[in-house]
Amino acid sequence: MTGALFATLLVLAGQSHPVAPQAASGVISRAAQAGLDEDAARSPAGPTMADRRGRAEAIQQEMGRDRMARDGVTMEETAIANVPVRVFEPGAGARPGVILLNLHGGGFIVDAGSMTETAPLAALTQRQVIAIRYRLAPEHPFPAAVEDALSVYRALRSTRPDARIVLFGTSAGATLAVELIARLRLDGEPLPAALGFFSGTADLASGGDSLDLFGDPAAASAVLGAYLGAGSPQDVAASPARGDLTDWPPTLCISSSRDLLLSSTAAFCRGLDEAGVAANLIVFDGLPHAFWSYIDAPETDAAFRAMARHLSPTEPWK
């Protein structure tokens, strides 16, 4: 395995987030660079899948609980429709009417965001945020994670019919979010009120220029092979951008200029726009893949504020 291939595997699995300091100098904040340096200095995971998952969970607990304490957010470990979830509540209590539903990142094989992607948004929106801890590949290939998300979504619609559900995800979670919407459309079910698509891909059969620049397409193929199992990346159920995007929920896409999934994020946003869907793209300069999930910096704060404005706007979604 080449160094570039292994590095890409680690990035997509939330285990590493490389950036070239000399290229980013003067572009990103000092706090962001310090955060990247700190992340790079973490002890590497061991060779087994259990080691990788243990390391990812340790980072979630460390950074997630720091963010929860800072923002006055509480977390409950529970289950919905027999699927494990983490439920986040703002300190003053959640405002009713909207539920934020999260699908975490981690290359489909680890949990690299169920706490760090969610706690800040519970505080900023003053809404309840539910992170789905879906079954992981390779033990549970596609569509297992989508089925878990579907079960939770249906249960929330049944038990809380007056609440509007807003869906968001980062990296692998962004992919799962669009796969869930594709499944809901296929089954003729109501769609989420809005979508947050953060540093992901909606077309597993296409990489793009940013993957060639900042990653290794062979490594991405290995990750997708573990996720898809016997499935095909050409299937619109796995790659919804290959299907009809009309009447999708209003969508915010966020990426960064050194993100290996920038091309994929931008391509999906452009496809939504061409289909007549309200879609906006925000790109942060000089930062790597899904930076908001593992560094604390002014850019991270700005990313979460942008997410909050879309996921819980002061005016209803159009």
Side-chain angles (χ1 to χ4, degrees):
M1 180 180 291
T2 68
L5 189 154
F6 185 63
T8 302
L9 280 170
L10 293 178
V11 171
L12 291 172
Q15 300 290 293
S16 176
H17 308 89
V19 65
Q22 68 275 16
S25 178
V27 174
I28 65 176
S29 68
R30 291 183 179 179
Q33 187 61 66
L36 294 170
D37 292 342
E38 180 180 352
D39 183 72
R42 291 181 184 274
S43 299
T48 69
M49 187 64 73
D51 292 333
R52 294 179 186 178
R53 290 173 180 165
R55 180 182 186 272
E57 177 62 13
I59 293 172
Q60 285 304 294
Q61 291 291 335
E62 175 192 344
M63 292 199 67
R65 292 195 179 279
D66 283 348
R67 290 181 175 186
M68 289 167 56
R70 177 195 66 195
D71 296 333
V73 172
T74 61
M75 179 184 76
E76 178 188 8
E77 302 261 12
T78 185
I80 298 175
N82 296 316
V83 177
V85 297
R86 285 173 165 164
V87 180
F88 298 85
E89 299 273 358
R95 291 188 292 152
V98 173
I99 303 168
L100 275 59
L101 189 60
N102 167 261
L103 289 157
H104 64 74
F108 307 105
I109 63 174
V110 305
D111 176 349
S114 67
M115 296 175 71
T116 56
E117 296 173 25
T118 50
L121 288 172
L124 286 167
T125 64
Q126 293 294 293
R127 304 286 191 184
Q128 184 183 73
V129 182
I130 300 174
I132 302 173
R133 305 199 73 199
Y134 51 84
R135 286 171 290 171
L136 300 171
E139 300 94 328
H140 305 284
F142 177 83
V146 181
E147 295 286 353
D148 287 348
L150 182 63
S151 294
V152 173
Y153 184 85
R154 285 173 171 168
L156 289 173
R157 289 198 63 248
S158 175
T159 59
R160 300 172 67 176
D162 295 333
R164 304 182 77 180
I165 300 174
V166 178
L167 184 64
F168 72 102
T170 291
S171 192
T175 300
L176 290 170
V178 294
E179 290 173 343
L180 173 58
I181 290 175
R183 174 63 182 274
L184 291 168
R185 290 193 68 180
L186 180 66
D187 293 347
E189 299 186 44
L191 302 184
L195 170 65
F197 183 85
F198 308 140
S199 191
T201 178
D203 185 354
L204 299 182
S206 178
D209 186 55
S210 62
L211 181 59
D212 292 335
L213 285 172
F214 304 120
D216 187 317
S221 295
V223 171
L224 296 181
Y227 171 60
L228 288 172
S232 170
Q234 306 285 342
D235 185 352
V236 294
S239 297
R242 293 180 169 261
D244 181 13
L245 297 178
T246 57
D247 299 322
W248 273 56
T251 301
L252 174 65
C253 300
I254 297 180
S255 184
S256 45
S257 65
R258 300 183 68 81
D259 178 8
L260 74 171
L261 295 184
L262 170 60
S263 296
S264 297
T265 304
F268 179 58
C269 193
R270 188 173 67 250
L272 290 171
D273 180 69
E274 290 175 353
V277 176
N280 292 318
L281 172 64
I282 296 174
V283 178
F284 286 83
D285 198 14
L287 287 160
H289 181 65
F291 64 89
W292 50 86
S293 65
Y294 62 93
I295 67 168
D296 290 318
E299 295 94 331
T300 295
D301 296 340
F304 280 124
R305 288 195 300 269
M307 295 175 192
R309 287 193 297 270
H310 177 72
L311 298 174
S312 183
T314 55
E315 297 294 332
W317 301 275
K318 296 181 179 180

